[in-house]
Amino acid sequence: MVAEMNMESGEDKKRLLAAIMFTDMVGYTALMQENEQLAKRNRDKHRKIQKETTEEFDGEILQYYGDGTLIIFKSAVQAVQCGVKIQQLLQEEPKVPLRIGIHSGDIVYDDEGIYGDGVNIASRIENIAEAGSILVSDKVADELKNHPEPKTKKIGSFQLKNVKHDVIVHAVIAEKLAVPDSLKRV
């Protein structure tokens, strides 16, 4: 990690290149209104599996967002391998519908959290994913191409909300994962 001083505020901020993963449970709010116990059980299962699997792949959970999570990894390959394992474990009964978005890029973090273009893009990619799928940016797919598993399938170029340039999105292909043919345009 490289630390640099923010001259305007005098505060330390850290920059690093990271793979950023966002996860979100699909339908959680509606489920919470219908069946609080089931919603909490699903959330607890999601968090337990995510914590154990993230540690296994050398990731760091930075924040829980109710039914979602923000995680960073030192490697895009490890991030995707972790996501695949999380999705596969969550497909076991009782199933938990989760969507995952992964992007790699430069991030900045301080005492209040992380920010940067890479974080925003990862969040927007997760937002267009379907339950049971993992979507990745072209940058992440490029890191995977020299590895035998997992493979990716190009879905298309998307203009994501509040992102200035189009982002090419790929779906990860692995056993038990949903692989969409097309996605909602945001």
Side-chain angles (χ1 to χ4, degrees):
M1 278 187 256
V2 177
E4 65 181 48
M5 180 64 83
N6 180 343
M7 296 303 183
E8 293 175 14
S9 67
E11 296 176 11
D12 284 331
K13 64 180 182 178
K14 298 175 183 161
R15 285 192 172 277
L16 74 134
L17 189 58
I20 306 116
M21 175 193 289
F22 274 93
T23 72
D24 179 64
M25 289 174 55
V26 177
Y28 180 78
T29 301
L31 181 60
M32 181 60 81
Q33 292 175 5
E34 291 174 24
N35 187 335
E36 274 185 11
Q37 288 181 325
L38 179 58
K40 183 177 180 327
R41 187 193 76 214
N42 284 356
R43 190 189 70 190
D44 291 348
K45 178 180 178 180
H46 165 242
R47 286 187 177 182
K48 180 181 185 296
I49 286 172
Q50 230 168 309
K51 182 180 183 309
E52 292 168 357
T53 309
T54 298
E55 289 172 1
E56 178 183 341
F57 288 93
D58 202 25
E60 180 181 355
I61 296 174
L62 296 182
Q63 189 166 357
Y64 289 106
Y65 297 98
D67 64 326
T69 313
L70 167 60
I71 306 169
I72 61 170
F73 296 84
K74 297 174 187 167
S75 156
V77 173
Q78 285 178 301
V80 173
Q81 290 171 337
C82 180
V84 168
K85 186 166 183 180
I86 288 168
Q87 285 290 34
Q88 289 172 338
L89 291 170
L90 291 177
Q91 294 307 308
E92 296 172 4
E93 292 296 336
K95 291 182 180 182
V96 177
L98 188 75
R99 61 186 180 192
I100 297 176
I102 303 172
H103 177 64
S104 64
D106 190 59
I107 62 170
V108 179
Y109 70 100
D110 56 25
D111 293 340
E112 295 185 28
I114 72 169
Y115 54 94
D117 198 40
V119 176
N120 297 334
I121 292 171
S123 172
R124 298 302 183 199
I125 290 171
E126 173 268 310
N127 195 42
I128 63 172
E130 296 177 358
S133 72
I134 301 171
L135 298 183
V136 301
S137 67
D138 205 38
K139 287 175 76 173
V140 173
D142 190 54
E143 293 294 327
L144 295 171
K145 71 181 175 188
N146 293 327
H147 295 270
E149 296 291 329
K151 297 293 184 195
T152 63
K153 173 186 172 185
K154 183 176 175 181
I155 302 297
S157 182
F158 292 81
Q159 178 60 54
L160 302 173
K161 182 178 177 183
N162 297 326
V163 176
K164 291 182 180 179
H165 59 282
D166 286 0
V167 177
I168 297 172
V169 175
H170 300 253
V172 175
I173 301 169
E175 185 179 345
K176 297 184 181 179
L177 266 61
V179 180
D181 289 322
S182 63
L183 299 169
K184 60 186 175 183
R185 300 280 173 172
V186 187

